[in-house]
Amino acid sequence: MDYQTAKVFDQAKETTKAEKAIAEDYQGRNIYPHEMVFVSEDGLIGADDTAEYTLYKVTKMTATEKIKAIEELTSYTVKEDEEIMKEIHSMLNDMLLQKISRVGIVDYFELTCQEVEDSL
């Protein structure tokens, strides 16, 4: 977009904002006539606010939902994604092993102890 086009675009935005708001976005901000918006389950999203909306959605996700989303977005045929998944699996292994050791291996796996005699 050249300077002149950008200037006209900015002027059009100012004219639009002088008009009365006709709706609110998902965070309660005003939406004016002729603005481009996306529609989501959370409400309207301004066309310039998609990155902000992504942050909003990801922040609300639980760790389990984030892991599931990463798996859904991952292509195991792409080397970079394969490496990311290896890192995630390694981190999860470490975390799980630490948690199990804190809880107690015997308790976590519900192991029962018995003395070995001639046969089990």
Side-chain angles (χ1 to χ4, degrees), residues 21-55:
I22 58 171
E24 291 184 347
D25 73 0
Y26 72 102
Q27 290 194 337
R29 294 176 295 212
N30 290 335
I31 300 289
Y32 298 93
H34 311 294
E35 279 190 43
M36 296 299 294
V37 295
F38 294 99
V39 179
S40 78
E41 62 190 30
D42 298 308
L44 301 176
I45 305 161
D48 296 333
D49 297 329
T50 54
E52 176 185 70
Y53 179 72
T54 302
L55 178 61

PDB file of all heavy atoms in Angstrom, residues 21-55:
ATOM      1  N   ALA A  21     -21.198   3.423  16.962  1.00  0.00           N
ATOM      2  CA  ALA A  21     -20.857   2.007  17.057  1.00  0.00           C
ATOM      3  C   ALA A  21     -22.116   1.174  16.864  1.00  0.00           C
ATOM      4  O   ALA A  21     -23.188   1.530  17.333  1.00  0.00           O
ATOM      5  CB  ALA A  21     -20.226   1.705  18.407  1.00  0.00           C
ATOM      6  N   ILE A  22     -21.975   0.055  16.158  1.00  0.00           N
ATOM      7  CA  ILE A  22     -23.130  -0.800  15.896  1.00  0.00           C
ATOM      8  C   ILE A  22     -23.055  -2.141  16.622  1.00  0.00           C
ATOM      9  O   ILE A  22     -24.024  -2.886  16.663  1.00  0.00           O
ATOM     10  CB  ILE A  22     -23.304  -1.048  14.377  1.00  0.00           C
ATOM     11  CG1 ILE A  22     -22.043  -1.680  13.787  1.00  0.00           C
ATOM     12  CG2 ILE A  22     -23.679   0.234  13.672  1.00  0.00           C
ATOM     13  CD1 ILE A  22     -22.194  -2.144  12.361  1.00  0.00           C
ATOM     14  N   ALA A  23     -21.907  -2.442  17.196  1.00  0.00           N
ATOM     15  CA  ALA A  23     -21.742  -3.712  17.917  1.00  0.00           C
ATOM     16  C   ALA A  23     -20.500  -3.606  18.790  1.00  0.00           C
ATOM     17  O   ALA A  23     -19.796  -2.591  18.770  1.00  0.00           O
ATOM     18  CB  ALA A  23     -21.603  -4.862  16.932  1.00  0.00           C
ATOM     19  N   GLU A  24     -20.240  -4.684  19.528  1.00  0.00           N
ATOM     20  CA  GLU A  24     -19.025  -4.782  20.338  1.00  0.00           C
ATOM     21  C   GLU A  24     -18.304  -6.072  19.985  1.00  0.00           C
ATOM     22  O   GLU A  24     -18.940  -7.067  19.630  1.00  0.00           O
ATOM     23  CB  GLU A  24     -19.362  -4.774  21.826  1.00  0.00           C
ATOM     24  CG  GLU A  24     -19.875  -3.442  22.320  1.00  0.00           C
ATOM     25  CD  GLU A  24     -20.109  -3.438  23.822  1.00  0.00           C
ATOM     26  OE1 GLU A  24     -20.115  -4.531  24.443  1.00  0.00           O
ATOM     27  OE2 GLU A  24     -20.288  -2.346  24.364  1.00  0.00           O
ATOM     28  N   ASP A  25     -16.971  -6.041  20.116  1.00  0.00           N
ATOM     29  CA  ASP A  25     -16.200  -7.254  19.852  1.00  0.00           C
ATOM     30  C   ASP A  25     -16.196  -8.140  21.100  1.00  0.00           C
ATOM     31  O   ASP A  25     -16.834  -7.826  22.102  1.00  0.00           O
ATOM     32  CB  ASP A  25     -14.795  -6.923  19.352  1.00  0.00           C
ATOM     33  CG  ASP A  25     -13.869  -6.370  20.436  1.00  0.00           C
ATOM     34  OD1 ASP A  25     -14.296  -6.228  21.607  1.00  0.00           O
ATOM     35  OD2 ASP A  25     -12.709  -6.095  20.116  1.00  0.00           O
ATOM     36  N   TYR A  26     -15.448  -9.218  21.043  1.00  0.00           N
ATOM     37  CA  TYR A  26     -15.427 -10.197  22.128  1.00  0.00           C
ATOM     38  C   TYR A  26     -14.922  -9.630  23.445  1.00  0.00           C
ATOM     39  O   TYR A  26     -15.154 -10.198  24.505  1.00  0.00           O
ATOM     40  CB  TYR A  26     -14.606 -11.434  21.723  1.00  0.00           C
ATOM     41  CG  TYR A  26     -13.118 -11.190  21.658  1.00  0.00           C
ATOM     42  CD1 TYR A  26     -12.286 -11.615  22.677  1.00  0.00           C
ATOM     43  CD2 TYR A  26     -12.551 -10.517  20.574  1.00  0.00           C
ATOM     44  CE1 TYR A  26     -10.919 -11.394  22.626  1.00  0.00           C
ATOM     45  CE2 TYR A  26     -11.194 -10.295  20.517  1.00  0.00           C
ATOM     46  CZ  TYR A  26     -10.380 -10.727  21.542  1.00  0.00           C
ATOM     47  OH  TYR A  26      -9.041 -10.499  21.487  1.00  0.00           O
ATOM     48  N   GLN A  27     -14.228  -8.472  23.398  1.00  0.00           N
ATOM     49  CA  GLN A  27     -13.736  -7.854  24.622  1.00  0.00           C
ATOM     50  C   GLN A  27     -14.505  -6.575  24.972  1.00  0.00           C
ATOM     51  O   GLN A  27     -14.096  -5.818  25.834  1.00  0.00           O
ATOM     52  CB  GLN A  27     -12.246  -7.551  24.504  1.00  0.00           C
ATOM     53  CG  GLN A  27     -11.415  -8.811  24.496  1.00  0.00           C
ATOM     54  CD  GLN A  27      -9.944  -8.538  24.708  1.00  0.00           C
ATOM     55  OE1 GLN A  27      -9.457  -7.442  24.464  1.00  0.00           O
ATOM     56  NE2 GLN A  27      -9.232  -9.536  25.175  1.00  0.00           N
ATOM     57  N   GLY A  28     -15.594  -6.345  24.291  1.00  0.00           N
ATOM     58  CA  GLY A  28     -16.429  -5.198  24.602  1.00  0.00           C
ATOM     59  C   GLY A  28     -16.031  -3.900  23.913  1.00  0.00           C
ATOM     60  O   GLY A  28     -16.545  -2.836  24.240  1.00  0.00           O
ATOM     61  N   ARG A  29     -15.115  -3.983  22.949  1.00  0.00           N
ATOM     62  CA  ARG A  29     -14.712  -2.782  22.210  1.00  0.00           C
ATOM     63  C   ARG A  29     -15.705  -2.516  21.089  1.00  0.00           C
ATOM     64  O   ARG A  29     -16.275  -3.446  20.531  1.00  0.00           O
ATOM     65  CB  ARG A  29     -13.301  -2.950  21.651  1.00  0.00           C
ATOM     66  CG  ARG A  29     -12.242  -3.030  22.757  1.00  0.00           C
ATOM     67  CD  ARG A  29     -10.888  -3.279  22.176  1.00  0.00           C
ATOM     68  NE  ARG A  29     -10.876  -4.595  21.544  1.00  0.00           N
ATOM     69  CZ  ARG A  29      -9.820  -5.373  21.476  1.00  0.00           C
ATOM     70  NH1 ARG A  29      -8.661  -4.972  21.948  1.00  0.00           N
ATOM     71  NH2 ARG A  29      -9.879  -6.551  20.903  1.00  0.00           N
ATOM     72  N   ASN A  30     -15.876  -1.249  20.769  1.00  0.00           N
ATOM     73  CA  ASN A  30     -16.848  -0.853  19.754  1.00  0.00           C
ATOM     74  C   ASN A  30     -16.464  -1.337  18.354  1.00  0.00           C
ATOM     75  O   ASN A  30     -15.301  -1.316  17.977  1.00  0.00           O
ATOM     76  CB  ASN A  30     -16.994   0.667  19.719  1.00  0.00           C
ATOM     77  CG  ASN A  30     -17.698   1.187  20.946  1.00  0.00           C
ATOM     78  OD1 ASN A  30     -18.460   0.483  21.589  1.00  0.00           O
ATOM     79  ND2 ASN A  30     -17.448   2.440  21.282  1.00  0.00           N
ATOM     80  N   ILE A  31     -17.502  -1.732  17.614  1.00  0.00           N
ATOM     81  CA  ILE A  31     -17.379  -2.077  16.193  1.00  0.00           C
ATOM     82  C   ILE A  31     -18.217  -1.048  15.443  1.00  0.00           C
ATOM     83  O   ILE A  31     -19.360  -0.781  15.805  1.00  0.00           O
ATOM     84  CB  ILE A  31     -17.926  -3.490  15.904  1.00  0.00           C
ATOM     85  CG1 ILE A  31     -17.180  -4.558  16.704  1.00  0.00           C
ATOM     86  CG2 ILE A  31     -17.899  -3.784  14.405  1.00  0.00           C
ATOM     87  CD1 ILE A  31     -15.770  -4.828  16.269  1.00  0.00           C
ATOM     88  N   TYR A  32     -17.626  -0.462  14.414  1.00  0.00           N
ATOM     89  CA  TYR A  32     -18.278   0.587  13.650  1.00  0.00           C
ATOM     90  C   TYR A  32     -18.664   0.079  12.260  1.00  0.00           C
ATOM     91  O   TYR A  32     -18.112  -0.918  11.782  1.00  0.00           O
ATOM     92  CB  TYR A  32     -17.340   1.794  13.523  1.00  0.00           C
ATOM     93  CG  TYR A  32     -17.007   2.396  14.877  1.00  0.00           C
ATOM     94  CD1 TYR A  32     -15.861   1.999  15.572  1.00  0.00           C
ATOM     95  CD2 TYR A  32     -17.846   3.330  15.460  1.00  0.00           C
ATOM     96  CE1 TYR A  32     -15.573   2.536  16.815  1.00  0.00           C
ATOM     97  CE2 TYR A  32     -17.566   3.869  16.701  1.00  0.00           C
ATOM     98  CZ  TYR A  32     -16.419   3.464  17.378  1.00  0.00           C
ATOM     99  OH  TYR A  32     -16.143   3.993  18.613  1.00  0.00           O
ATOM    100  N   PRO A  33     -19.609   0.767  11.612  1.00  0.00           N
ATOM    101  CA  PRO A  33     -19.993   0.369  10.257  1.00  0.00           C
ATOM    102  C   PRO A  33     -18.776   0.304   9.333  1.00  0.00           C
ATOM    103  O   PRO A  33     -17.835   1.086   9.499  1.00  0.00           O
ATOM    104  CB  PRO A  33     -20.955   1.478   9.810  1.00  0.00           C
ATOM    105  CG  PRO A  33     -21.481   2.071  11.072  1.00  0.00           C
ATOM    106  CD  PRO A  33     -20.352   1.948  12.076  1.00  0.00           C
ATOM    107  N   HIS A  34     -18.785  -0.632   8.436  1.00  0.00           N
ATOM    108  CA  HIS A  34     -17.769  -0.819   7.398  1.00  0.00           C
ATOM    109  C   HIS A  34     -16.454  -1.404   7.924  1.00  0.00           C
ATOM    110  O   HIS A  34     -15.494  -1.496   7.174  1.00  0.00           O
ATOM    111  CB  HIS A  34     -17.489   0.494   6.640  1.00  0.00           C
ATOM    112  CG  HIS A  34     -18.727   1.187   6.172  1.00  0.00           C
ATOM    113  ND1 HIS A  34     -19.551   0.654   5.212  1.00  0.00           N
ATOM    114  CD2 HIS A  34     -19.302   2.352   6.581  1.00  0.00           C
ATOM    115  CE1 HIS A  34     -20.577   1.467   5.026  1.00  0.00           C
ATOM    116  NE2 HIS A  34     -20.456   2.504   5.845  1.00  0.00           N
ATOM    117  N   GLU A  35     -16.394  -1.774   9.185  1.00  0.00           N
ATOM    118  CA  GLU A  35     -15.197  -2.441   9.699  1.00  0.00           C
ATOM    119  C   GLU A  35     -15.263  -3.911   9.315  1.00  0.00           C
ATOM    120  O   GLU A  35     -16.332  -4.514   9.279  1.00  0.00           O
ATOM    121  CB  GLU A  35     -15.097  -2.335  11.228  1.00  0.00           C
ATOM    122  CG  GLU A  35     -14.548  -1.029  11.714  1.00  0.00           C
ATOM    123  CD  GLU A  35     -14.237  -1.061  13.203  1.00  0.00           C
ATOM    124  OE1 GLU A  35     -13.661  -2.066  13.686  1.00  0.00           O
ATOM    125  OE2 GLU A  35     -14.565  -0.084  13.874  1.00  0.00           O
ATOM    126  N   MET A  36     -14.124  -4.488   9.042  1.00  0.00           N
ATOM    127  CA  MET A  36     -14.040  -5.914   8.735  1.00  0.00           C
ATOM    128  C   MET A  36     -13.912  -6.669  10.060  1.00  0.00           C
ATOM    129  O   MET A  36     -13.102  -6.301  10.910  1.00  0.00           O
ATOM    130  CB  MET A  36     -12.841  -6.220   7.847  1.00  0.00           C
ATOM    131  CG  MET A  36     -12.921  -5.586   6.467  1.00  0.00           C
ATOM    132  SD  MET A  36     -14.339  -6.150   5.506  1.00  0.00           S
ATOM    133  CE  MET A  36     -13.935  -7.862   5.276  1.00  0.00           C
ATOM    134  N   VAL A  37     -14.726  -7.691  10.227  1.00  0.00           N
ATOM    135  CA  VAL A  37     -14.682  -8.497  11.439  1.00  0.00           C
ATOM    136  C   VAL A  37     -14.761  -9.976  11.080  1.00  0.00           C
ATOM    137  O   VAL A  37     -15.210 -10.346   9.999  1.00  0.00           O
ATOM    138  CB  VAL A  37     -15.838  -8.158  12.412  1.00  0.00           C
ATOM    139  CG1 VAL A  37     -15.724  -6.745  12.938  1.00  0.00           C
ATOM    140  CG2 VAL A  37     -17.184  -8.402  11.784  1.00  0.00           C
ATOM    141  N   PHE A  38     -14.299 -10.791  12.001  1.00  0.00           N
ATOM    142  CA  PHE A  38     -14.475 -12.238  11.917  1.00  0.00           C
ATOM    143  C   PHE A  38     -15.459 -12.623  13.010  1.00  0.00           C
ATOM    144  O   PHE A  38     -15.537 -11.968  14.049  1.00  0.00           O
ATOM    145  CB  PHE A  38     -13.144 -12.973  12.141  1.00  0.00           C
ATOM    146  CG  PHE A  38     -12.139 -12.732  11.060  1.00  0.00           C
ATOM    147  CD1 PHE A  38     -11.131 -11.803  11.232  1.00  0.00           C
ATOM    148  CD2 PHE A  38     -12.203 -13.445   9.874  1.00  0.00           C
ATOM    149  CE1 PHE A  38     -10.193 -11.570  10.226  1.00  0.00           C
ATOM    150  CE2 PHE A  38     -11.265 -13.222   8.873  1.00  0.00           C
ATOM    151  CZ  PHE A  38     -10.262 -12.284   9.053  1.00  0.00           C
ATOM    152  N   VAL A  39     -16.188 -13.692  12.789  1.00  0.00           N
ATOM    153  CA  VAL A  39     -17.154 -14.163  13.766  1.00  0.00           C
ATOM    154  C   VAL A  39     -16.611 -15.446  14.384  1.00  0.00           C
ATOM    155  O   VAL A  39     -16.176 -16.354  13.672  1.00  0.00           O
ATOM    156  CB  VAL A  39     -18.521 -14.434  13.095  1.00  0.00           C
ATOM    157  CG1 VAL A  39     -19.521 -14.948  14.112  1.00  0.00           C
ATOM    158  CG2 VAL A  39     -19.031 -13.171  12.411  1.00  0.00           C
ATOM    159  N   SER A  40     -16.614 -15.499  15.711  1.00  0.00           N
ATOM    160  CA  SER A  40     -16.142 -16.696  16.411  1.00  0.00           C
ATOM    161  C   SER A  40     -17.142 -17.072  17.485  1.00  0.00           C
ATOM    162  O   SER A  40     -18.107 -16.353  17.739  1.00  0.00           O
ATOM    163  CB  SER A  40     -14.774 -16.428  17.050  1.00  0.00           C
ATOM    164  OG  SER A  40     -14.936 -15.689  18.246  1.00  0.00           O
ATOM    165  N   GLU A  41     -16.859 -18.171  18.160  1.00  0.00           N
ATOM    166  CA  GLU A  41     -17.722 -18.607  19.261  1.00  0.00           C
ATOM    167  C   GLU A  41     -17.712 -17.599  20.406  1.00  0.00           C
ATOM    168  O   GLU A  41     -18.633 -17.572  21.220  1.00  0.00           O
ATOM    169  CB  GLU A  41     -17.282 -19.980  19.767  1.00  0.00           C
ATOM    170  CG  GLU A  41     -15.873 -19.980  20.339  1.00  0.00           C
ATOM    171  CD  GLU A  41     -15.333 -21.359  20.630  1.00  0.00           C
ATOM    172  OE1 GLU A  41     -15.713 -22.310  19.942  1.00  0.00           O
ATOM    173  OE2 GLU A  41     -14.511 -21.468  21.556  1.00  0.00           O
ATOM    174  N   ASP A  42     -16.684 -16.757  20.478  1.00  0.00           N
ATOM    175  CA  ASP A  42     -16.564 -15.755  21.540  1.00  0.00           C
ATOM    176  C   ASP A  42     -17.173 -14.418  21.149  1.00  0.00           C
ATOM    177  O   ASP A  42     -17.239 -13.517  21.971  1.00  0.00           O
ATOM    178  CB  ASP A  42     -15.093 -15.538  21.909  1.00  0.00           C
ATOM    179  CG  ASP A  42     -14.470 -16.806  22.453  1.00  0.00           C
ATOM    180  OD1 ASP A  42     -15.050 -17.390  23.377  1.00  0.00           O
ATOM    181  OD2 ASP A  42     -13.416 -17.212  21.939  1.00  0.00           O
ATOM    182  N   GLY A  43     -17.569 -14.270  19.901  1.00  0.00           N
ATOM    183  CA  GLY A  43     -18.137 -13.014  19.431  1.00  0.00           C
ATOM    184  C   GLY A  43     -17.371 -12.500  18.229  1.00  0.00           C
ATOM    185  O   GLY A  43     -16.697 -13.248  17.528  1.00  0.00           O
ATOM    186  N   LEU A  44     -17.474 -11.199  18.005  1.00  0.00           N
ATOM    187  CA  LEU A  44     -16.814 -10.576  16.857  1.00  0.00           C
ATOM    188  C   LEU A  44     -15.350 -10.297  17.161  1.00  0.00           C
ATOM    189  O   LEU A  44     -14.991  -9.962  18.284  1.00  0.00           O
ATOM    190  CB  LEU A  44     -17.524  -9.265  16.496  1.00  0.00           C
ATOM    191  CG  LEU A  44     -19.004  -9.390  16.133  1.00  0.00           C
ATOM    192  CD1 LEU A  44     -19.604  -8.015  15.907  1.00  0.00           C
ATOM    193  CD2 LEU A  44     -19.195 -10.271  14.916  1.00  0.00           C
ATOM    194  N   ILE A  45     -14.517 -10.406  16.118  1.00  0.00           N
ATOM    195  CA  ILE A  45     -13.087 -10.128  16.230  1.00  0.00           C
ATOM    196  C   ILE A  45     -12.737  -9.171  15.111  1.00  0.00           C
ATOM    197  O   ILE A  45     -12.981  -9.472  13.938  1.00  0.00           O
ATOM    198  CB  ILE A  45     -12.240 -11.405  16.057  1.00  0.00           C
ATOM    199  CG1 ILE A  45     -12.688 -12.464  17.054  1.00  0.00           C
ATOM    200  CG2 ILE A  45     -10.756 -11.102  16.180  1.00  0.00           C
ATOM    201  CD1 ILE A  45     -12.261 -13.848  16.678  1.00  0.00           C
ATOM    202  N   GLY A  46     -12.159  -8.026  15.467  1.00  0.00           N
ATOM    203  CA  GLY A  46     -11.721  -7.081  14.449  1.00  0.00           C
ATOM    204  C   GLY A  46     -10.660  -7.715  13.568  1.00  0.00           C
ATOM    205  O   GLY A  46      -9.830  -8.504  14.043  1.00  0.00           O
ATOM    206  N   ALA A  47     -10.671  -7.390  12.294  1.00  0.00           N
ATOM    207  CA  ALA A  47      -9.724  -7.981  11.351  1.00  0.00           C
ATOM    208  C   ALA A  47      -8.276  -7.732  11.764  1.00  0.00           C
ATOM    209  O   ALA A  47      -7.401  -8.545  11.486  1.00  0.00           O
ATOM    210  CB  ALA A  47      -9.975  -7.445   9.945  1.00  0.00           C
ATOM    211  N   ASP A  48      -8.011  -6.628  12.437  1.00  0.00           N
ATOM    212  CA  ASP A  48      -6.647  -6.316  12.887  1.00  0.00           C
ATOM    213  C   ASP A  48      -6.324  -6.937  14.245  1.00  0.00           C
ATOM    214  O   ASP A  48      -5.222  -6.756  14.761  1.00  0.00           O
ATOM    215  CB  ASP A  48      -6.450  -4.797  12.969  1.00  0.00           C
ATOM    216  CG  ASP A  48      -6.569  -4.117  11.618  1.00  0.00           C
ATOM    217  OD1 ASP A  48      -6.285  -4.778  10.589  1.00  0.00           O
ATOM    218  OD2 ASP A  48      -6.944  -2.934  11.579  1.00  0.00           O
ATOM    219  N   ASP A  49      -7.273  -7.634  14.843  1.00  0.00           N
ATOM    220  CA  ASP A  49      -7.095  -8.147  16.197  1.00  0.00           C
ATOM    221  C   ASP A  49      -6.941  -9.661  16.266  1.00  0.00           C
ATOM    222  O   ASP A  49      -7.091 -10.254  17.334  1.00  0.00           O
ATOM    223  CB  ASP A  49      -8.296  -7.736  17.071  1.00  0.00           C
ATOM    224  CG  ASP A  49      -8.415  -6.238  17.226  1.00  0.00           C
ATOM    225  OD1 ASP A  49      -7.377  -5.558  17.216  1.00  0.00           O
ATOM    226  OD2 ASP A  49      -9.556  -5.744  17.336  1.00  0.00           O
ATOM    227  N   THR A  50      -6.651 -10.305  15.146  1.00  0.00           N
ATOM    228  CA  THR A  50      -6.576 -11.767  15.152  1.00  0.00           C
ATOM    229  C   THR A  50      -5.405 -12.295  15.990  1.00  0.00           C
ATOM    230  O   THR A  50      -5.553 -13.316  16.668  1.00  0.00           O
ATOM    231  CB  THR A  50      -6.502 -12.331  13.724  1.00  0.00           C
ATOM    232  OG1 THR A  50      -5.416 -11.713  13.039  1.00  0.00           O
ATOM    233  CG2 THR A  50      -7.801 -12.084  12.969  1.00  0.00           C
ATOM    234  N   ALA A  51      -4.265 -11.613  15.977  1.00  0.00           N
ATOM    235  CA  ALA A  51      -3.129 -12.063  16.792  1.00  0.00           C
ATOM    236  C   ALA A  51      -3.468 -11.929  18.276  1.00  0.00           C
ATOM    237  O   ALA A  51      -3.169 -12.827  19.079  1.00  0.00           O
ATOM    238  CB  ALA A  51      -1.870 -11.269  16.456  1.00  0.00           C
ATOM    239  N   GLU A  52      -4.107 -10.831  18.640  1.00  0.00           N
ATOM    240  CA  GLU A  52      -4.529 -10.619  20.022  1.00  0.00           C
ATOM    241  C   GLU A  52      -5.536 -11.687  20.442  1.00  0.00           C
ATOM    242  O   GLU A  52      -5.478 -12.216  21.553  1.00  0.00           O
ATOM    243  CB  GLU A  52      -5.145  -9.223  20.157  1.00  0.00           C
ATOM    244  CG  GLU A  52      -5.699  -8.923  21.525  1.00  0.00           C
ATOM    245  CD  GLU A  52      -6.404  -7.584  21.571  1.00  0.00           C
ATOM    246  OE1 GLU A  52      -7.496  -7.478  20.967  1.00  0.00           O
ATOM    247  OE2 GLU A  52      -5.877  -6.678  22.199  1.00  0.00           O
ATOM    248  N   TYR A  53      -6.448 -12.025  19.545  1.00  0.00           N
ATOM    249  CA  TYR A  53      -7.446 -13.052  19.827  1.00  0.00           C
ATOM    250  C   TYR A  53      -6.772 -14.410  20.033  1.00  0.00           C
ATOM    251  O   TYR A  53      -7.154 -15.166  20.933  1.00  0.00           O
ATOM    252  CB  TYR A  53      -8.471 -13.128  18.694  1.00  0.00           C
ATOM    253  CG  TYR A  53      -9.523 -14.180  18.906  1.00  0.00           C
ATOM    254  CD1 TYR A  53     -10.518 -14.018  19.859  1.00  0.00           C
ATOM    255  CD2 TYR A  53      -9.524 -15.345  18.143  1.00  0.00           C
ATOM    256  CE1 TYR A  53     -11.491 -14.989  20.062  1.00  0.00           C
ATOM    257  CE2 TYR A  53     -10.502 -16.319  18.336  1.00  0.00           C
ATOM    258  CZ  TYR A  53     -11.474 -16.129  19.293  1.00  0.00           C
ATOM    259  OH  TYR A  53     -12.429 -17.097  19.487  1.00  0.00           O
ATOM    260  N   THR A  54      -5.770 -14.698  19.227  1.00  0.00           N
ATOM    261  CA  THR A  54      -5.045 -15.958  19.372  1.00  0.00           C
ATOM    262  C   THR A  54      -4.411 -16.049  20.757  1.00  0.00           C
ATOM    263  O   THR A  54      -4.511 -17.081  21.431  1.00  0.00           O
ATOM    264  CB  THR A  54      -3.957 -16.091  18.284  1.00  0.00           C
ATOM    265  OG1 THR A  54      -4.588 -16.000  17.008  1.00  0.00           O
ATOM    266  CG2 THR A  54      -3.209 -17.401  18.403  1.00  0.00           C
ATOM    267  N   LEU A  55      -3.773 -14.977  21.201  1.00  0.00           N
ATOM    268  CA  LEU A  55      -3.169 -14.943  22.529  1.00  0.00           C
ATOM    269  C   LEU A  55      -4.240 -15.146  23.606  1.00  0.00           C
ATOM    270  O   LEU A  55      -4.049 -15.915  24.554  1.00  0.00           O
ATOM    271  CB  LEU A  55      -2.429 -13.620  22.752  1.00  0.00           C
ATOM    272  CG  LEU A  55      -1.781 -13.437  24.111  1.00  0.00           C
ATOM    273  CD1 LEU A  55      -0.718 -14.510  24.360  1.00  0.00           C
ATOM    274  CD2 LEU A  55      -1.159 -12.052  24.217  1.00  0.00           C
TER     275      LEU A  55
END
